[in-house]
Amino acid sequence: MMSLGGNDLDFKGTISDCAKGFIFGNLTGSLAGYHCHGDQQKRVDEKSAGAKADITRAVMAVRNAMSQAGYGSESYRLVLQSYPSPHPDAHGNAFMGKGYRDHQRWTVGGCPFHEDDSDWARRKLVPQISAMIKEVARSAKAEFLDVQDLLTGHEVCAADSKRASLTQKPGEQEWARFIWPSYTEGKWDVPQQGGVEEFMHPNCYGQQALGHCLKEHVQRGAGDSACAGAAGIEPHSVRWSRLSD
């Protein structure tokens, strides 16, 4: 199983710029009018061709390595996985309607994004990345595992879930890492467990859901498939389905 492409598109930079547009506007009011999706969509579009080529080269490198080791293409299964959306659209956000002047979306929820930027990321960016990876999988004769909806109902700031803790059932919690930096004396400090690299990535429960999804994909036989979460379900209960052409 291969999961790649996000770094080629600088997904981390996209998340960072969108968060800064909300956070610094909240702190100073100077960027209150900055919404990231317009600039970031242009940036993603400009990088897409290069990212697609890089993913293709990586897949072919694996194919070549397997061939050199004596494995024919029929003796193994190569699966390309898309990316799960770690954040809901504005409608599914517990803090919907609270703008940059209400800092709870950042300080309580850990999801410092404007509503229109949230809609863009969930409805446009994540599906666009998934479609690109699926296209590479088809051209490389690999299988495709679509997990863009895997964390549904359990994203950061999802209206139907709570911050991950040891006192609640996994089905009641978020399955992705929240953003929780503090900004003092002109620099960022991250006091919580984990660093910037973990922000907006699947947490322990999210990884369990990914593991269950991959197990289902392998056990169900060759072909393209998808997994989707839902509010209130446990990680081992994410729904698997076969993708049609």
Side-chain angles (χ1 to χ4, degrees), residues 10-20 86 113 179 199-200:
D10 191 21
F11 188 72
K12 175 182 175 182
T14 296
I15 293 295
S16 177
D17 285 352
C18 292
K20 287 176 181 178
F113 306 108
I179 295 177
F199 291 158
M200 292 293 147

Side-chain angles (χ1 to χ4, degrees), residues 10-226:
D10 191 21
F11 188 72
K12 175 182 175 182
T14 296
I15 293 295
S16 177
D17 285 352
C18 292
K20 287 176 181 178
F22 184 92
I23 291 173
F24 285 111
N26 186 277
L27 290 172
T28 67
S30 61
L31 290 178
Y34 178 71
H35 296 238
C36 71
H37 60 276
D39 291 338
Q40 291 305 317
Q41 183 62 61
K42 294 177 182 177
R43 186 178 180 185
V44 170
D45 290 341
E46 291 171 354
K47 290 179 176 289
S48 290
K52 183 178 176 181
D54 288 343
I55 297 171
T56 300
R57 280 193 291 269
V59 172
M60 297 314 298
V62 171
R63 291 283 197 202
N64 292 335
M66 294 297 286
S67 177
Q68 292 173 9
Y71 294 94
S73 59
E74 73 286 348
S75 66
Y76 66 94
R77 294 168 61 184
L78 184 59
V79 182
L80 267 65
Q81 174 195 294
S82 65
Y83 286 84
S85 177
H87 188 260
D89 61 14
H91 180 74
N93 194 312
F95 298 88
M96 181 176 67
K98 297 181 182 297
Y100 78 92
R101 294 185 184 280
D102 189 332
H103 57 81
Q104 292 183 47
R105 187 182 298 180
W106 167 30
T107 58
V108 177
C111 57
F113 306 108
H114 291 292
E115 292 179 10
D116 54 353
D117 292 336
S118 298
D119 285 342
W120 166 76
R122 182 64 186 92
R123 300 175 185 176
K124 174 67 176 178
L125 176 62
V126 173
Q128 181 177 350
I129 295 174
S130 294
M132 178 186 67
I133 296 173
K134 181 178 181 179
E135 188 175 344
V136 173
R138 289 289 178 86
S139 64
K141 294 182 171 55
E143 298 173 36
F144 174 62
L145 179 57
D146 191 358
V147 297
Q148 61 179 299
D149 298 324
L150 183 77
L151 305 180
T152 296
H154 302 274
E155 307 100 325
V156 177
C157 288
D160 297 312
S161 62
K162 300 179 177 63
R163 177 70 51 78
S165 71
L166 297 176
T167 61
Q168 299 169 4
K169 296 179 180 180
E172 302 171 344
Q173 303 187 42
E174 296 174 354
W175 294 354
R177 169 70 66 168
F178 53 90
I179 295 177
W180 196 278
S182 62
Y183 185 76
T184 56
E185 298 180 359
K187 64 180 181 179
W188 292 104
D189 177 42
V190 184
Q192 301 292 326
Q193 178 186 359
V196 175
E197 290 75 16
E198 295 186 12
F199 291 158
M200 292 293 147
H201 283 69
N203 60 18
C204 173
Y205 299 128
Q207 294 295 343
Q208 290 176 13
L210 281 168
H212 176 76
C213 177
L214 180 58
K215 182 185 75 172
E216 288 290 311
H217 178 87
V218 171
Q219 292 180 342
R220 302 285 185 129
D224 297 343
S225 65

